[in-house]
């Protein structure tokens, strides 16, 4: 299984950026899909999560600015980021909990990370 993230880059404060992540390989079903981020010198933190049913959850610092969405048919998750701030600068990682078959065993997978830099 591979999670391929894309969409990072450099943006000015107040701007917008969209991240996408596609899961491929031997996938039976995907539970939660998430976006984490890790800023230099800081621990990785959960930014946004979405269940297979579409229920979402956000860290307080991005509420109202970021929107997570997914396409279950395509096994993709996206993160639309707006009103970006310099403190949003980090490497963003997509994450998924998925199963390979009907055994109900689920595994955690990470994407490779994509850098988002917000200049002031």
């Amino acid at each position: 299984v591979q999670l391929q993230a894309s969409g990072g880059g450099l943006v000015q404060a107040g701007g917008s950026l969209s991240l996408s992540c596609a899961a491929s390989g031997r996938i039976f079903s995907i539970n939660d899909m998430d976006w984490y981020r890790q800023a230099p010198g800081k621990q990785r933190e959960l930014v946004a999560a979405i269940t297979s049913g579409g229920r979402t959850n956000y860290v307080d610092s991005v509420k109202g600015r970021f929107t997570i969405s997914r396409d279950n048919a395509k096994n993709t998750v996206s993160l639309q980021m707006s009103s970006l701030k310099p403190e949003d600068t980090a490497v963003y990682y997509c994450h998924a909990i998925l199963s390979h078959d009907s055994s109900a065993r689920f595994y955690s997978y990470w994407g490779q990370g994509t850098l988002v830099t917000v200049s002031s």
Side-chain angles (χ1 to χ4, degrees):
V1 171
Q2 248 192 337
L3 268 62
Q4 184 68 43
S6 61
L10 173 64
V11 64
Q12 285 191 331
S16 298
L17 208 58
S18 183
L19 305 181
S20 294
C21 178
S24 61
R26 186 167 159 242
I27 298 170
F28 180 76
S29 67
I30 304 178
N31 277 359
D32 289 2
M33 301 187 83
D34 320 301
W35 287 96
Y36 285 73
R37 67 185 178 188
Q38 187 165 19
K42 295 189 175 182
Q43 286 191 331
R44 190 173 298 189
E45 67 168 349
L46 175 63
V47 176
I50 185 167
T51 67
S52 57
R55 191 167 63 245
T56 59
N57 190 37
Y58 300 90
V59 67
D60 285 346
S61 60
V62 308
K63 284 180 180 177
R65 300 188 298 120
F66 290 13
T67 301
I68 189 171
S69 61
R70 66 188 281 176
D71 186 328
N72 291 332
K74 296 180 180 179
N75 291 336
T76 59
V77 61
S78 299
L79 186 68
Q80 179 65 42
M81 305 181 291
S82 60
S83 302
L84 282 161
K85 305 175 181 179
E87 51 263 44
D88 294 317
T89 295
V91 176
Y92 284 71
Y93 298 89
C94 61
H95 171 257
I97 298 175
L98 59 89
S99 63
H100 300 296
D101 51 40
S102 59
S103 66
R105 283 191 290 267
F106 287 83
Y107 302 88
S108 174
Y109 287 90
W110 292 91
Q112 82 282 13
T114 184
L115 178 62
V116 171
T117 304
V118 184
S119 63
S120 56

